[in-house]
Amino acid sequence: MGRLHVVTGKGGTGKTTVAAALALALARGGKRTLLVEVEGRQGIAQLFETAPLPYEERKIAVSHGDGEVHALAIDAERALLDYLQMFYKLGSAGRALKRLGAIDFATTIAPGLRDVLLTGKACEAVRRRDKRQRPVYDAVVMDAPPTGRITRFLGVNEEVAGLAKVGPVHNQAQAVMRVLKSPQTAVHLVTLLEEMPVQETVDGIAELRAAGLPATSVVVNMVRPRLSGEEQLLVPHQRTDELADALSLAFSHAGLGGARDGGRGDGRGSARDGGRGGERAERLVAPLLKLGREHAERVALERGLRTELRAQDLPVRELGRLSEGVDLPGLYGLATELHDQWHTGAPA
C-alpha cells in the first residue's frame, strides 16, 4: 500500500530540501516515490538541477539500489480541469471554460477549492494502481504549505464534504479525508533549533491533533555540529574570574604575547603580576571568554528546545548543516542520514 508523507515547516527551515531528501530515502532499494510540489515555486526543480517541472509526473532522480524518484508540480487550474473531466466528462467544454476564465472565477469564489484540488491530486497518486493492482508508487511525498496553515490545508476537504451533502464532490472529499486521517498519511514537521520555529512546530502539532490529523515526526534541520567539551562552558558565573586567570596563565606559559611588546615570553610572568607577557595574554582572554559565553548560551538554548520538542511524544530526527550549501551530493547525503535514522529509530 502506498503512503502519503506530508512535509511542512515554518518558512526558512528547509522543508523543501527535507521533502526531497525524504523522497530519495524512501526510494532506496528499488522503490518508486513521487515528490509533489503544491506551491508553484519550482523549488524541487532547483534542488535537482533540472528544468522547471510541467504538470506531469516525470522521473528526476535515481536513488540507491535503483530506486526512482518522480516529481510533479501540481497546477490548481489543470487539476480542476482533470477533476471536471473525471466526474462530469466535459471534454472540449473544459477547455472552453479555461479560455473564459471560469477556473480563476471558481477558485476565487471558493478559495478552499484550490486546496481540495491539490490534496485530491496527491491522494489520487497514493491510491493509484497499475494493471496488476499494485500501487504505482510506494510513497508520495508532498512539499506542503507552511506549518501555520497546514491544518487548514489538510482539513479543507472535511469542510467541503459538509457543504456538499451528496454527489461526486461530496464523495471525492470524503475519499480524500479517509486517506488523510488514516495510517496511510504521515505528517512531518521541519524545524530549526530556534525559538520561533520550535514554537510554531509545537503549535502545529497541537492543531493537527485537535483536528484528528496525524502528526508523525519532527525533523530538526541544519543542526550545527557539537564541539568536544562544549558542555563544560556552562560554568557558574562566579567561576568566570577563576577561568580567566587560568586561561591567561596558560597563554602566558605558552609564550603568547610576550616577545612583541617587551615581555620575556619565558612563562615566568604570571597573568596578574605586572609581567607584560601576562598583560597581553589577558587581552587575548577577554574576547575568547565572550565568545565562549555566547556559545554556552546557545548550547543551553538548544538543550531546552530539544527538551521541548521531545516532550511532544514524537520521534525527533536531526539533519546536519551542509557547509557548502544544498547541492545534489549534499541532498543525497541528507537522504542517507534520514534513511539511517528511519531504520534505527521509531518508524514513521
Side-chain angles (χ1 to χ4, degrees), residues 68-107:
E68 296 182 357
V69 176
H70 296 245
L72 170 67
I74 302 179
D75 176 81
E77 184 177 84
R78 294 285 299 274
L80 179 55
L81 291 176
D82 285 351
Y83 181 87
L84 294 173
Q85 175 61 25
M86 183 183 304
F87 291 108
Y88 298 101
K89 311 297 182 187
L90 292 185
S92 60
R95 291 188 291 274
L97 283 173
K98 179 179 178 180
R99 287 195 299 272
L100 292 171
I103 308 301
D104 290 337
F105 177 72
T107 54

Side-chain angles (χ1 to χ4, degrees), residues 210-223:
L213 292 163
T216 310
S217 78
V218 174
V219 179
V220 183
N221 196 23
M222 293 186 271
V223 176

Side-chain angles (χ1 to χ4, degrees), residues 170-311:
H170 173 83
N171 295 337
Q172 167 72 359
Q174 279 198 322
V176 170
M177 288 311 300
R178 279 196 295 271
V179 173
L180 294 178
K181 288 192 170 186
S182 77
Q184 275 186 279
T185 297
V187 180
H188 312 286
L189 298 96
V190 182
T191 187
L192 306 178
L193 283 178
E194 297 174 4
E195 291 174 287
M196 287 186 63
V198 167
Q199 185 59 56
E200 189 164 310
T201 298
V202 172
D203 292 343
I205 292 169
E207 291 171 4
L208 287 166
R209 286 171 169 167
L213 292 163
T216 310
S217 78
V218 174
V219 179
V220 183
N221 196 23
M222 293 186 271
V223 176
R224 62 167 186 81
R226 299 190 185 188
L227 302 178
S228 175
E230 67 179 15
E231 293 292 329
Q232 297 176 26
L233 291 169
L234 302 176
V235 295
H237 180 70
Q238 61 268 25
R239 290 183 55 195
T240 301
D241 288 343
E242 179 186 333
L243 181 60
D245 280 349
L247 287 174
S248 296
L249 187 59
F251 287 165
S252 181
H253 285 173
L256 293 176
R260 203 185 313 174
D261 56 6
R264 288 177 296 181
D266 59 3
R268 291 198 293 268
S270 71
R272 296 184 179 275
D273 65 358
R276 299 187 65 183
E279 291 172 3
R280 183 165 176 81
E282 285 182 351
R283 292 199 297 273
L284 291 172
V285 166
L288 288 175
L289 280 178
K290 182 176 182 293
L291 289 174
R293 282 193 296 270
E294 292 173 352
H295 190 79
E297 290 169 1
R298 184 70 200 175
V299 170
L301 174 65
E302 291 183 357
R303 177 194 285 175
L305 293 174
R306 279 190 174 94
T307 300
E308 190 172 356
L309 289 172
R310 287 168 181 155

